[in-house]
Amino acid sequence: MDDNLPAETPSCSPVPSQYLEENCFNPTPLVYNWVDVTESFKEACNTLESGVLVKEQNFTLYEAMSAIEMMDPKMDSWMIGQKVKRKILSFVDSIEQGVIKLDDFTSDELILMMDHCHGCILSWLDGQSLAQTVFTFLYLHEPTEIKSRCLKAFCFGVLKLCDTIMEKIDKARVFEEEDFQLLRYRFKFACELSTTRVIGMMREVEDEYGRLIRSTKSKPQSANADSDDEVNKLLAGYDGVLRRIKFLRLFLQSLTCFGGSKMSDLPAQNISKGFVQMAENLKIMKKTAPLHVDTTKSDDNQSLVPGFEPLLNQRLLPPTFPRYTKLHSISDMYDIYEGIIERLLLITSGAQGNSFQGILNFVTQFSRSNSCVLTRSLAQIHFTPARLPGNQAVDAIRDSLKAFNAPPCLSIRNAFYLQPNVKLCVETFLSQALMAMVKVFQVYGHNYARQREKLAMILESLTVLQEYGDRCDAEISEMMKRFDPEGEPVNHLAYLGGWSLYHTLKIMIEYVTSGFVLKLYSNHELHYIYWYLSEVLLNWLLQTLNRADSQLLYDENMNEQAELRKTRSNKKSKRNKKKTVRDREHAREITVTQAWLALGWGTFKAILGFTMAGKLSCPDMHFDNESIRYEHRFAPFYCVTTPPYLTYKQYRVMTDTTNCQKQPSPEDLYLSSSRHFAAAKTYCESVPDCQDMQKLLLVAKTNLVVTKILSGGPSPLTEKKKINLDFSTHRAFPIIKMTQ
């Protein structure tokens, strides 16, 4: 046995020493007896024949391929710290060797460390680990040792901010492993101090720097121009530090107000004021930012920001493949914070109105923005129906049903409203609808790439809800007939089921259109994508909205008749009563759906014409199977009963032009496409105050001109032109461009 190997090696206890001291517990250390098996292993290997492999049963090829060879610089990330020539110093070692100081910081030094720390926080929110971002700042490890009141308050504020961010993100649960890492690595987050105390510490520093600024300004001006420049520079430095402390305080204070906190009773207006003040302070911070980053040179000639050591926590990381951690620069930090504050103001300002449908539309639109995990989590906490106390969430679903198609079972005017069987049926449906809608809200909280796969999963829950809604409608219709057999024949069909169908169709449309945003579709498969979108989804959505509009009209007429019966004896009031013009609830959405439908058909026919004319490249038929691609794109729709899934064979039958009296030419398809684009242009112009409709209007106008030109037949202008589909204007419908 090698003499260098120890005969007995004690193992460190996994229990922290602080825990042992508090509990007066002194365990016996584990002892490993090392035995040299090298010669025995070689002898055993010699008995194996060529090609024979000894394998443990649970160690499969997957484990072998994904295993990491430890101590290999190309595979083990821990070896990065072994390759550097400089000595990695901890906070204590840096103080002992005089590398960092604890007091007497200049304003420039404080500004540089604060800005770089904010860049580390934003890098952490991008999915990097705490060990490689925030806690590379040495002062965060022992903030109590810092003598500078300003830096100490800043460090405690950063620790509390990170702790609050992790609390909110963990509460929302809308992050994936690529979005955010919740590992704390046993770092201390100033749990001994309350958030209120930390905010008070930062306020004290703000007051101190405010007094410094006022005292500096009150000093008599010197005749020396250089002295005035120094005073102005000093004032700018004081103001820069003051603004950064205030920015951090406002950020921490505003985040604490979002749900589950003692400070959450503040109204949304107060939270919005905090974010507005953050934006104002950020502009001044940007002006006082250092023009260049002053760095120090280490022993191996590496540039390091004072107070930061990138490899400090390298040993805390698991043995993984080496990855380069890219931190946001100071200049990028300001732009990223501007976007975050803008999205936070959107959240606190709320959706359009307080209705359930308005909030759902807001969350859906917000999910399409390039939002970080923090803003998505705060939106989830702020808007999810599950946060509403008592029966408010169920009441929100009930109000949404009334606004959509006014089911008779929810109207007090109807005599069977208080029937126990009807109430039980309605309450059961509302509770199931609430659970399904909570899942929908949670799906829209995830990043856009993950939304697509989760939307496919949520369709199963909505399908079950829709089927139950149809059964409830049928049962309530039978109850209504039994309750008043001699009365006017009425039915309750397509009320609860119609509301469920509407939300199912919206999820299906969102699933299809997300493929355009994520660039999942090739040009040669766009024809059946737009066909299914137009023929099935948008067509069914338009019918559902028209039926709901008719149901609302019927409910309004019934209300008017009831009012007339009450005032029939009063002729004067009847004579003076004016007929009010009904404000159609779904008129705007019907127009938008008609515009989408016209654009869908126009794009479908234009792409068919491009394919027939050979202007779009198609895969080789020997290596292509369009049926498999079609079924793969619409596989999540198998489980949906309404609208029924249309198979690839049905698609080919419905789009087969061989049975037509005249086979359409590409020019015929271009002409028909231009008519659809013209109709879409008319629909878009009727809704001028919608930003999305203005984008669709630009798409419709441009494509109308292009298809009109192409419908004139081959010409020297269009013969050698290539077709380019540009999705930069709108997420679902491209602008058709002719390029060289």
Side-chain angles (χ1 to χ4, degrees), residues 100 104 114 173 177 250 259 328 340 392 396 469 507 519 521 539 590 616 649 652 689 706 709:
I100 60 176
D104 298 328
M114 291 176 179
R173 305 300 297 180
E177 58 181 358
L250 290 169
H328 288 296
I340 290 177
Q392 292 186 22
I507 294 293
K519 300 180 180 179
Y521 306 138
N539 204 1
I590 288 174
L616 288 181
K649 289 183 179 179
R652 293 304 301 264
D689 57 340
V706 173
I709 294 174

Side-chain angles (χ1 to χ4, degrees), residues 367-370 448-449 451-452 509-521 526 530 596 727-728 730-733:
S367 69
R368 298 178 189 140
S369 62
N370 188 20
Y448 202 74
Q451 276 185 32
R452 182 176 171 83
I509 293 172
E510 184 66 29
Y511 176 83
V512 173
T513 55
S514 64
F516 297 110
V517 180
L518 299 173
K519 300 180 180 179
L520 301 179
Y521 306 138
L526 290 179
Y530 281 109
W596 273 61
F727 285 90
S728 60
H730 193 268
R731 60 189 178 92
F733 299 104

Side-chain angles (χ1 to χ4, degrees), residues 727-740:
F727 285 90
S728 60
T729 301
H730 193 268
R731 60 189 178 92
F733 299 104
I735 288 181
I736 302 172
K737 295 182 178 180
M738 293 187 294
T739 58
Q740 294 291 345

Side-chain angles (χ1 to χ4, degrees), residues 82-214:
Q82 306 301 312
K83 292 192 297 182
V84 298
K85 297 179 181 179
R86 73 177 186 275
K87 187 177 181 180
I88 308 301
L89 300 177
S90 65
F91 176 76
V92 177
D93 296 336
S94 300
I95 294 175
E96 291 176 353
Q97 298 188 19
V99 177
I100 60 176
K101 54 185 179 180
L102 300 177
D103 203 354
D104 298 328
F105 295 98
T106 64
S107 298
D108 291 340
E109 290 174 338
L110 290 173
I111 288 174
L112 177 59
M113 288 189 291
M114 291 176 179
D115 285 357
H116 193 69
C117 186
H118 277 295
C120 292
I121 293 174
L122 294 177
S123 301
W124 171 51
L125 291 177
D126 279 349
Q128 305 291 347
S129 66
L130 269 174
Q132 293 177 291
T133 53
V134 179
F135 278 90
T136 59
F137 191 24
L138 296 172
Y139 293 100
L140 293 179
H141 293 266
E142 295 292 340
T144 55
E145 300 294 329
I146 304 172
K147 297 179 181 179
S148 171
R149 293 183 61 189
C150 177
L151 186 58
K152 178 187 286 190
F154 178 81
C155 290
F156 278 123
V158 169
L159 292 174
K160 279 297 180 183
L161 178 66
C162 294
D163 190 37
T164 305
I165 288 174
M166 282 190 285
E167 177 193 343
K168 302 304 179 185
I169 294 177
D170 187 37
K171 181 180 180 180
R173 305 300 297 180
V174 289
F175 66 93
E176 303 292 337
E177 58 181 358
E178 70 271 13
D179 289 331
F180 189 72
Q181 297 186 29
L182 274 176
L183 289 176
R184 291 175 174 255
Y185 297 99
R186 294 188 178 180
F187 289 132
K188 302 174 184 177
F189 289 90
C191 298
E192 67 277 7
L193 295 177
S194 65
T195 304
T196 306
R197 175 65 188 123
V198 173
I199 292 174
M201 292 173 62
M202 289 189 282
R203 285 188 183 275
E204 292 172 3
V205 174
E206 292 176 32
D207 295 339
E208 179 183 345
Y209 271 84
R211 289 192 296 268
L212 280 174
I213 293 174
R214 289 192 296 270

Side-chain angles (χ1 to χ4, degrees), residues 405-472:
N405 55 9
C409 63
L410 298 179
S411 177
I412 306 178
R413 182 190 69 247
N414 296 305
F416 62 89
Y417 171 76
L418 297 176
Q419 291 295 313
N421 293 335
V422 174
K423 291 188 68 175
L424 177 63
C425 191
V426 171
E427 293 299 327
T428 306
F429 173 80
L430 290 176
S431 62
Q432 292 193 14
L434 176 61
M435 290 188 291
M437 288 297 107
V438 168
K439 293 180 181 179
V440 171
F441 271 89
Q442 191 169 16
V443 166
Y444 282 126
H446 288 268
N447 67 66
Y448 202 74
R450 291 285 186 171
Q451 276 185 32
R452 182 176 171 83
E453 61 183 51
K454 295 182 182 297
L455 286 173
M457 297 166 58
I458 205 69
L459 281 175
E460 298 180 5
S461 300
L462 289 175
T463 301
V464 173
L465 177 65
Q466 182 185 333
E467 292 175 352
Y468 183 74
D470 291 335
R471 290 200 302 270
C472 288

Side-chain angles (χ1 to χ4, degrees), residues 250-374:
L250 290 169
F251 199 7
L252 175 60
Q253 205 168 357
S254 301
L255 285 186
T256 311
C257 299
F258 276 90
S261 164
K262 294 180 181 179
M263 300 176 65
S264 60
D265 297 333
L266 295 175
Q269 293 180 352
N270 292 351
I271 305 176
S272 299
K273 289 179 181 178
F275 292 135
V276 171
Q277 292 177 11
M278 282 177 60
E280 295 173 354
N281 283 275
L282 189 66
K283 294 178 181 178
I284 302 176
M285 288 168 56
K286 197 170 184 179
K287 294 178 181 178
T288 58
L291 298 178
H292 64 280
V293 178
D294 296 326
T295 57
T296 59
K297 292 290 183 180
S298 60
D299 296 337
D300 54 353
N301 204 28
Q302 291 285 333
S303 297
L304 300 175
V305 177
F308 290 84
E309 176 49 70
L311 301 178
L312 176 64
N313 306 307
Q314 197 67 27
R315 294 193 177 189
L316 296 177
L317 301 176
T320 57
F321 294 107
R323 292 182 298 177
Y324 174 68
T325 303
K326 184 180 179 182
L327 301 178
H328 288 296
S329 63
I330 293 177
S331 58
D332 293 338
M333 179 264 294
Y334 294 109
D335 297 333
I336 296 173
Y337 265 131
E338 286 177 359
I340 290 177
I341 294 172
E342 182 180 350
R343 290 189 292 272
L344 289 174
L345 286 172
L346 278 176
I347 295 172
T348 52
S349 62
Q352 297 177 356
N354 295 322
S355 65
F356 173 84
Q357 189 59 47
I359 294 175
L360 180 59
N361 293 338
F362 176 84
V363 172
T364 306
Q365 189 68 29
F366 185 82
S367 69
R368 298 178 189 140
S369 62
N370 188 20
S371 54
C372 66
V373 63
L374 175 61

Side-chain angles (χ1 to χ4, degrees), residues 622-659:
H622 297 286
F623 304 101
D624 178 52
N625 192 325
E626 191 174 76
S627 174
I628 294 178
R629 286 192 278 108
Y630 179 94
E631 294 171 358
H632 173 70
R633 293 303 183 195
F634 305 116
F637 300 162
Y638 289 162
C639 65
V640 181
T641 54
T642 306
Y645 173 74
L646 296 185
T647 63
Y648 180 72
K649 289 183 179 179
Q650 291 173 298
Y651 161 70
R652 293 304 301 264
V653 169
M654 296 176 71
T655 58
D656 187 13
T657 58
T658 56
N659 297 327

